[in-house]
């Protein structure tokens, strides 16, 4: 059993590290600018890389040309091979004289692979920022409620219970719908971070309160109080550190939940502008295709979301914590 748990933990860690590093290194790994459009390559399939031309040759590609735009058929121009360009213009690899589309192109002729990498930067950063804010807010409010008790405890507890009984996704949709539909990407980022944090703190606060309530009567807390430690010092130096394991668990649960929430909002048109590359906006673009089964590369952001949730679930399950609950 321990060997299985270790294998799950390693697999989750490897997948999560791969996704995070890929997002951080997007400007170097992406062959093309995420907003660059190749007008003649709308819905173009992934570019095939060759290493044989009258013998072993450096990796090269054949430029794609449209055969039928209506039928979305493309062919390779075998008369004009293009050798891949390595470590040029601050990129690991590019197509040189032809577009390198490792995961094909979308409806605007943009490189899907590059957009997935850049989309991960926004989606993962938003989820991490919102989770950190929710954990911080929940830890502070839960700590105060557990230590102070009385009316403050009652007010914070009743507020958290009110938020917990609400259908989270519908509340998020309602709050976002109350705001202007057309907003800058930076404004949307800040608003979604605030909304996610405001709805994520109650469960953190309830758990923190319970731990602080149990710890505040322990001998080490009584000893610190006896030597004159202030309430703030007791809370910050002794009681809240006792909740560190719980807070770490909540962080691992909130990050994938917020990734899914951003994807859902962007998919229904309440998230980032369509011109901003996120996993959610890319899924919205894929949803507008009538026969997405013929263009499976458009589902690459869905695969990235799945791998993110799977990786964190493997880490959580391997440590005996509850898995992420995927709520609609």
């Amino acid at each position: 059993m321990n060997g299985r748990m270790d294998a799950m933990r390693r697999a989750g860690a490897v997948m999560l590290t791969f996704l995070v590093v890929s997002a951080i290194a997007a400007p170097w790994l992406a062959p093309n600018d995420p907003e660059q459009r190749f007008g003649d390559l709308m819905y173009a399939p992934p570019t095939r890389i060759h290493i044989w031309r009258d013998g072993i040759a450096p990796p090269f590609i054949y430029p794609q040309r449209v055969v039928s735009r209506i039928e979305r058929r493309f062919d390779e121009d075998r008369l004009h091979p293009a050798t891949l360009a390595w470590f040029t213009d601050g990129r690991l690899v590019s197509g040189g004289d032809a577009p390198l589309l490792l995961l094909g192109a979308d409806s605007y002729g943009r490189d899907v692979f590059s957009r997935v990498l850049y989309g991960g930067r926004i989606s993962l950063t938003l989820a991490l920022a919102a989770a950190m804010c929710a954990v911080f807010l929940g830890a502070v409010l839960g700590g105060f409620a557990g230590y102070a008790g009385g009316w403050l405890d009652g007010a914070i507890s009743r507020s958290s219970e009110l938020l917990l009984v609400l259908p989270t996704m519908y509340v998020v949709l309602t709050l976002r719908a109350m705001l202007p539909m057309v907003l800058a990407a930076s404004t949307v980022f800040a608003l979604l971070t605030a909304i996610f944090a405001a709805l994520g703190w109650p469960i953190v606060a309830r758990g923190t309160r319970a731990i602080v309530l149990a710890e505040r009567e322990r001998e080490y807390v009584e000893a610190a109080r006896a030597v004159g430690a202030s309430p703030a010092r007791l809370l910050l130096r002794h009681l809240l550190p006792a909740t560190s394991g719980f807070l770490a668990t909540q962080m691992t649960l909130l990050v994938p939940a917020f990734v899914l929430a951003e994807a859902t909002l962007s998919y229904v048109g309440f998230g980032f502008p369509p011109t901003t590359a996120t996993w959610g906006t890319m899924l919205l673009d894929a949803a507008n295709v009538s026969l997405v089964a013929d263009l499976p590369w458009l589902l690459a952001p869905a695969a990235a979301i799945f791998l993110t949730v799977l990786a964190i679930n493997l880490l959580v399950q391997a440590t005996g914590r509850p898995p992420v609950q995927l709520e609609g």
Side-chain angles (χ1 to χ4, degrees):
M1 181 62 71
N2 290 335
R4 180 182 178 186
M5 291 299 180
D6 289 340
M8 291 173 57
R9 187 183 299 110
R10 285 195 296 270
V14 168
M15 283 194 292
L16 188 60
T17 301
F18 172 78
L19 290 166
V20 172
V21 171
S22 297
I24 294 174
W28 185 64
L29 294 176
N32 305 287
D33 186 276
E35 300 304 324
Q36 183 176 1
R37 301 186 180 187
F38 303 100
D40 294 332
L41 297 178
M42 294 183 293
Y43 297 122
T47 305
R48 292 189 295 177
I49 299 177
H50 304 268
I51 58 172
W52 183 271
R53 185 175 63 211
D54 298 328
I56 299 295
F60 67 95
I61 61 174
Y62 291 114
Q64 297 191 71
R65 58 187 178 187
V66 62
V67 175
S68 173
R69 191 174 299 278
I70 296 178
E71 298 178 359
R72 299 169 185 161
R73 288 194 296 113
F74 294 83
D75 193 9
E76 293 181 334
D77 182 2
R78 293 186 169 268
L79 297 178
H80 303 90
T83 302
L84 297 182
W86 298 88
F87 305 105
T88 58
D89 299 327
R91 302 182 187 277
L92 172 63
V93 62
S94 62
D97 297 330
L100 175 61
L101 307 174
L102 295 176
L103 289 178
D106 63 8
S107 59
Y108 294 96
R110 298 172 299 193
D111 180 13
V112 172
F113 178 74
S114 298
R115 289 179 64 78
V116 167
L117 294 178
Y118 276 91
R121 304 186 94 193
I122 297 178
S123 296
L124 293 176
T125 302
L126 171 63
L128 182 60
M132 292 176 62
C133 291
V135 168
F136 175 79
L137 186 61
V140 171
L141 293 178
F144 280 130
Y147 183 80
W151 67 267
L152 180 60
D153 182 17
I156 295 176
S157 297
R158 300 296 84 76
S159 299
S160 63
E161 290 170 359
L162 174 63
L163 292 174
L164 284 173
V165 300
L166 296 176
T168 305
M169 187 50 65
Y170 292 111
V171 174
V172 173
L173 289 170
T174 302
L175 291 175
R176 178 62 185 91
M178 294 170 60
L179 302 171
M181 292 299 297
V182 181
L183 294 170
S186 58
T187 304
V188 173
F189 185 98
L191 288 174
L192 293 185
T193 299
I195 291 174
F196 292 166
L199 294 175
W201 71 264
I203 188 65
V204 180
R206 285 174 64 85
T208 303
R209 172 185 175 274
I211 296 173
V212 171
L213 276 173
E215 293 289 322
R216 70 179 184 179
E217 304 301 331
R218 295 288 184 91
E219 290 81 358
Y220 72 93
V221 178
E222 292 293 343
R225 187 181 293 115
V227 298
S230 65
R233 182 178 178 85
L234 286 173
L235 189 61
L236 296 177
R237 294 293 301 272
H238 300 284
L239 294 175
L240 284 182
T243 68
S244 58
F246 169 77
L247 297 180
T249 300
Q250 292 306 308
M251 178 70 73
T252 61
L253 298 176
L254 288 174
V255 168
F258 290 157
V259 168
L260 291 172
E262 182 279 320
T264 301
L265 284 175
S266 295
Y267 181 80
V268 299
F270 285 151
F272 286 90
T275 55
T276 302
T278 73
W279 291 342
T281 56
M282 293 182 68
L283 287 178
L284 175 61
D285 184 57
N288 295 326
V289 180
S290 57
L291 296 175
V292 72
D294 296 331
L295 309 168
W297 53 88
L298 296 181
L299 297 178
I305 295 172
F306 171 78
L307 289 176
T308 301
V309 176
L310 176 62
I312 297 180
N313 269 326
L314 289 175
L315 288 172
V316 171
Q317 290 179 353
T319 54
R321 299 166 184 164
V324 177
Q325 300 296 321
L326 308 184
E327 298 182 0

